[in-house]
């Protein structure tokens, strides 16, 4: 599915969040960044805490292959799925 990244304003915390499909995250909640993108703290379906990695479309296949090959690594989170907007996966 391709979605427009819709900013959502949380008036309680005065911050702007991005929502892509069922994934919601704030760019200020950056956990880490690296060669293939940035990782943010987020929510899936407004219930589950998730790590959201924003990856450019051109790097997605390479990054996904690396994630899948490292599923049992103690420092890498398990890959459950992806969603995308116009610029990022």
């Amino acid at each position: 599915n391709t979605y427009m990244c819709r900013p959502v304003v949380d008036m309680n915390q005065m911050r702007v969040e991005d929502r892509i499909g069922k994934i919601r995250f704030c760019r200020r909640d950056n956990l880490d960044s690296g060669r293939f993108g940035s990782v943010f703290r987020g929510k899936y379906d407004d219930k589950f805490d998730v790590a959201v990695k924003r990856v450019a479309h051109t790097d997605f296949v390479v990054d996904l292959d690396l994630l899948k090959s490292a599923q049992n690594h103690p420092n890498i989170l398990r890959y459950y799925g992806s969603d995308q907007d116009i610029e990022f996966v």
Side-chain angles (χ1 to χ4, degrees):
N1 296 336
T2 301
Y3 298 92
M4 293 292 294
C5 187
R6 296 186 309 258
V8 177
V9 178
D10 182 344
M11 296 308 283
N12 295 326
Q13 298 181 15
M14 290 304 294
R15 61 194 226 159
V16 176
E17 296 180 333
D18 289 322
R19 183 179 293 273
I20 303 170
K22 292 184 174 188
I23 301 167
R24 178 175 53 91
F25 67 97
C26 179
R27 293 179 201 199
R28 287 188 2 209
D29 291 337
N30 187 304
L31 298 173
D32 199 7
S33 58
R35 184 171 145 200
F36 292 112
S38 298
V39 179
F40 304 92
R41 179 171 302 146
K43 287 278 190 188
Y44 177 78
D45 204 20
D46 290 327
K47 298 176 192 167
F48 306 102
D49 291 324
V50 295
V52 178
K53 185 168 189 180
R54 285 181 53 103
V55 179
H57 287 280
T58 55
D59 296 327
F60 178 67
V61 174
V62 173
D63 193 47
L64 182 58
D65 288 343
L66 288 171
L67 281 173
K68 286 181 177 179
S69 68
Q71 287 294 293
N72 295 320
H73 192 284
N75 296 331
I76 296 180
L77 297 173
R78 184 168 301 274
Y79 172 79
Y80 285 101
S82 61
D83 217 328
Q84 62 185 327
D85 64 9
I86 293 172
E87 298 177 32
F88 293 93
V89 177

